[in-house]
Amino acid sequence: MQRKAYVPGVAALLAVLLAGCTGGSGDDNGTTDPKPGESATTPTAAQPGKYRTLPEPCAAVSHGTLDSLLPGIRQVTDEEQREKAYEGTATQTYDTDRKVGCRWKAQSTGATDHLLVDFERVVSYDNAVSDDDRATDIYLKRETAADLPEPVASSESSESSESPESPSSSGSSPDPSGSPSGDSSSGPSSSSSGAEGDDESGSATPSDGSTPSALQPRTLDDLGDEAFLDDALSSSRQRTVTVVFRTSNVVVTIQYDEQPATTTDVPSSKDMQDRARKLAGQLAGTFDD
């Protein structure tokens, strides 16, 4: 009789224990509560860049624009060779989704011109840094490497504040023609590629080939998110105009150079800068579409 009473008691105890385990597992539905404050520390990925693809570089410049920058193309008499010159040559790249470029070259009777267009799509692999911020870093490094001169205040503002009747504050005596003695603007500048005589803006290339003050390397306010222009003249009279601009996470580089047939000619800063900036504006417009 004692043995019969003992067995039901053990069974009842086991039933209670099993009920407690079953009830505990059913309350949380098999899930585990997160640790306090854990959800608040979850990092948020930085904003991705606006552009996921790049234009085809050798098709990005129209024939009309190439005619303007590379006059020698129109002088090619063989139609097949002329079309090949228009097509350009793609630059070597290992990832066309990230970096592409194209080069053109044309030789005319007066000079040899080269053009390079390069597109770089920047992707940040740091969740804390956006693609745009990474592209800004790359752009700023190139601007710093260009070593742009400090912008100078225009002399026109100081001249306008003086009375027309008052003598120059420098104290120099004017010559009979009304121009200060030694003023380099009293005579026409020498021709450079035959373009300076047609320049009415007063920014023609000086006789020594140096870049006029109004056309010095500088940042540009009307191109992309940020931009700069560089202008350099080598000892062999080859002028190279470079325009770099950033639009969102893409950095665009235009390099345009001209080597005259003779060292007595100097390529015009104004003409080359105007052409390069016009092309830059066209390329920036393709990203806005």
Side-chain angles (χ1 to χ4, degrees):
M1 295 296 292
Q2 292 180 352
R3 184 177 181 181
K4 292 180 180 180
Y6 177 77
V7 173
V10 173
L13 178 61
L14 291 174
V16 171
L17 292 175
L18 290 173
C21 293
T22 304
S25 61
D27 290 341
D28 58 11
N29 295 322
T31 60
T32 302
D33 292 336
K35 295 180 180 179
E38 186 177 38
S39 59
T41 60
T42 302
T44 302
Q47 187 71 19
K50 179 179 180 180
Y51 302 107
R52 303 296 180 89
T53 60
L54 290 172
E56 204 293 302
C58 290
V61 186
S62 68
H63 284 198
T65 301
L66 289 172
D67 286 341
S68 175
L69 278 79
L70 311 171
I73 290 184
R74 291 174 295 179
Q75 298 180 10
V76 178
T77 56
D78 184 271
E79 184 176 351
E80 183 177 348
Q81 291 297 322
R82 186 167 61 252
E83 285 302 315
K84 187 175 181 179
Y86 279 126
E87 290 175 1
T89 302
T91 58
Q92 185 176 9
T93 181
Y94 299 100
D95 187 351
T96 55
D97 287 334
R98 295 287 305 279
K99 188 175 177 65
V100 292
C102 192
R103 297 180 183 273
W104 294 265
K105 174 183 178 181
Q107 184 174 359
S108 65
T109 55
T112 299
D113 296 283
H114 297 83
L115 174 66
L116 166 66
V117 171
D118 180 88
F119 300 116
E120 180 177 359
R121 186 176 67 89
V122 181
V123 177
S124 173
Y125 294 102
D126 186 346
N127 286 336
V129 180
S130 69
D131 293 349
D132 282 23
D133 288 342
R134 178 60 181 146
T136 297
D137 290 341
I138 292 175
Y139 165 83
L140 290 177
K141 287 180 180 179
R142 295 183 185 178
E143 182 181 309
T144 301
D147 195 21
L148 306 181
E150 290 292 333
V152 295
S154 174
S155 60
E156 295 177 0
S157 58
S158 60
E159 291 174 357
S160 61
S161 63
E162 297 179 359
S163 171
E165 292 79 17
S166 63
S168 171
S169 58
S170 63
S172 59
S173 301
D175 62 17
S177 65
S179 299
S181 59
D183 186 354
S184 60
S185 63
S186 60
S189 61
S190 64
S191 174
S192 61
S193 297
E196 281 62 38
D198 299 328
D199 185 7
E200 299 177 357
S201 66
S203 56
T205 303
S207 58
D208 61 356
S210 60
T211 304
S213 58
L215 299 174
Q216 287 290 327
R218 61 200 183 277
T219 58
L220 304 174
D221 298 328
D222 57 351
L223 183 62
D225 295 318
E226 48 195 341
F228 73 86
L229 179 149
D230 198 8
D231 187 327
L233 185 70
S234 71
S235 58
S236 64
R237 302 289 179 142
Q238 174 177 300
R239 185 175 297 282
T240 301
V241 173
T242 304
V243 177
V244 179
F245 69 89
R246 179 186 71 84
T247 175
S248 186
N249 62 316
V250 173
V251 178
V252 180
T253 301
I254 298 170
Q255 183 174 305
Y256 175 40
D257 64 70
E258 180 170 293
Q259 176 66 65
T262 64
T263 55
T264 57
D265 291 332
V266 181
S268 166
S269 282
K270 183 179 186 305
D271 288 348
M272 292 187 65
Q273 289 190 23
D274 285 349
R275 294 167 189 161
R277 291 188 64 178
K278 182 177 180 181
L279 172 58
Q282 294 171 351
L283 295 179
T286 63
F287 286 96
D288 295 335
D289 295 340

